Amino acid sequence: DALPICCWRDYFQRVQQHRNLLEDIRSEQTPVANREIPVAVREASTGIEGIDRAIRELYETGYMHNHSRMYTAALVCNLAQSHWLLPAQWMYYHLLDGDWASNSCSWQWVAGANSSKKYIANQENINRYTRTAQTGTFLDRSYEELAVMEIPDELKGTKPLVLETRLPETGAIALDLALPTYIYNYYNLDPLWDREVAANRVLLLEPEFFAAYPVSEYCMEFVRGLAENIPGIQVYTGSFQSLVQVTGAGEIRYKEHPFNAHYTGTVVSRDWISEEVTGYYPSFFAYWKQLEKQFGKKA
């Protein structure tokens, strides 16, 4: 059972290779009452103990259980009727394991923009999986009632949300132009990548990328810490083009990602569960069937 779970993120990353994940993937989310996020969600004061506790843990640790991510998204999209995009950016901003493909597709799945129906959780369900015992809340209803319920008073208040990334200021870096330059970034910090090869290794932090996909200071500290596992790595804050111009970098190598489409040099594949199962599949289970053919049903 563990393999299908591991494959979800792989699947979503394959979707990102073929779809714009800033837009509804399969169908338009409806109804949408606002494109903000409830203040009660941001302040962890919804009154739903399991969800409020999970949001506080997200702020404190950078992690949130998968069930809690779905509960939060269901509350925001399907009860508060907020469009999924800004709330998805809010959650991604705080997640240490944040992956825009997985996060965006999951929010859209909950909101019905990437699935055939919306996901809703009632109080009984939340109690079961968050070990709470609440009754009498606005979620303490049948699924039939929740599906047609007006926006609860607790979720009506919204206000604009500004997310910004604080990037470190970096000085000049020195490259040995006789060696290839390996480019790392927010989506590639693999310490084992060609580690036997003598090379320049640069963690590239592009302001333009983080303006579009901002992350918290806590996330940035986490990334800087992970980069320390790569011997000799240097940090450069600036665009890919400026890195090349300033350093005169010769041979450049980087790993494929839709966010790296403007890089030039030698591109290599990311690590996938399967290199053969590629392309866009409209559902995870269509993708999973292809994996089963390759690995066998008992894989």
Side-chain angles (χ1 to χ4, degrees):
D1 293 338
L3 187 55
I5 294 173
C6 295
C7 287
W8 274 101
R9 183 164 289 209
D10 248 42
Y11 167 64
F12 289 144
Q13 290 175 353
R14 289 297 193 189
V15 172
Q16 188 182 25
Q17 291 178 314
H18 301 275
R19 294 292 185 273
N20 179 359
L21 298 189
L22 293 174
E23 300 176 352
D24 296 351
I25 298 174
R26 294 173 59 183
S27 57
E28 182 179 351
Q29 177 189 339
T30 57
V32 172
N34 63 81
R35 288 183 174 267
E36 296 181 344
I37 180 172
V39 173
V41 172
R42 290 169 55 183
E43 296 180 350
S45 59
T46 68
I48 308 301
E49 292 176 5
I51 292 177
D52 290 342
R53 182 177 63 203
I55 294 171
R56 289 193 297 269
E57 289 177 353
L58 173 65
Y59 291 155
E60 293 167 3
T61 69
Y63 293 102
M64 181 183 269
H65 191 279
N66 284 338
H67 283 166
S68 297
R69 299 184 195 197
M70 291 195 300
Y71 296 153
T72 303
L75 197 73
V76 171
C77 296
N78 301 330
L79 291 182
Q81 297 179 17
S82 298
H83 187 267
W84 62 267
L85 179 56
L86 183 61
Q89 291 172 324
W90 159 79
M91 183 174 285
Y92 171 84
Y93 181 82
H94 293 285
L95 286 170
L96 293 187
D97 67 339
D99 173 79
W100 181 246
S102 179
N103 193 60
S104 169
C105 289
S106 295
W107 274 81
Q108 293 197 54
W109 181 84
V110 169
N114 187 31
S115 57
S116 58
K117 63 180 180 178
K118 301 177 182 181
Y119 172 80
I120 299 175
N122 66 8
Q123 188 64 62
E124 181 183 8
N125 185 300
I126 292 172
N127 284 344
R128 182 182 302 120
Y129 293 104
T130 64
R131 299 182 180 180
T132 55
Q134 278 191 284
T135 58
T137 71
F138 60 83
L139 287 181
D140 195 11
R141 301 167 183 255
S142 69
Y143 285 109
E144 290 76 16
E145 291 176 299
L146 290 176
V148 297
M149 189 170 71
E150 297 293 325
I151 299 175
D153 290 340
E154 294 89 339
L155 302 178
K156 286 183 177 178
T158 66
K159 62 181 181 182
L161 173 64
V162 178
L163 300 171
E164 297 179 325
T165 304
R166 293 185 181 180
L167 293 175
E169 294 184 7
T170 57
I173 63 173
L175 303 183
D176 182 342
L177 301 185
L179 300 177
T181 298
Y182 282 60
I183 303 296
Y184 298 77
N185 54 38
Y186 198 72
Y187 279 84
N188 171 31
L189 286 167
D190 180 2
L192 303 180
W193 181 27
D194 285 358
R195 62 179 178 177
E196 73 285 353
V197 175
N200 305 296
R201 300 184 188 270
V202 177
L203 170 57
L204 177 62
L205 303 175
E206 295 190 281
E208 186 175 355
F209 167 76
F210 288 103
Y213 299 92
V215 297
S216 70
E217 189 170 358
Y218 193 19
C219 289
M220 188 53 57
E221 291 175 359
F222 182 65
V223 165
R224 294 286 299 275
L226 289 178
E228 292 177 0
N229 294 312
I230 303 170
I233 196 165
Q234 300 179 74
V235 181
Y236 182 82
T237 298
S239 68
F240 176 84
Q241 290 77 11
S242 68
L243 171 67
V244 174
Q245 291 170 1
V246 169
T247 64
E251 182 186 355
I252 291 176
R253 301 176 187 175
Y254 62 95
K255 290 196 176 185
E256 180 276 330
H257 195 282
F259 291 148
N260 303 344
H262 59 294
Y263 288 13
T264 56
T266 300
V267 58
V268 299
S269 177
R270 284 179 273 168
D271 294 329
W272 298 97
I273 288 176
S274 170
E275 296 284 353
E276 287 73 34
V277 182
T278 61
Y280 172 70
Y281 293 89
S283 72
F284 170 79
F285 295 102
Y287 169 77
W288 174 244
K289 287 180 181 178
Q290 297 302 313
L291 290 182
E292 281 189 329
K293 291 179 181 178
Q294 181 178 352
F295 296 117
K297 292 188 176 182
K298 296 183 178 181

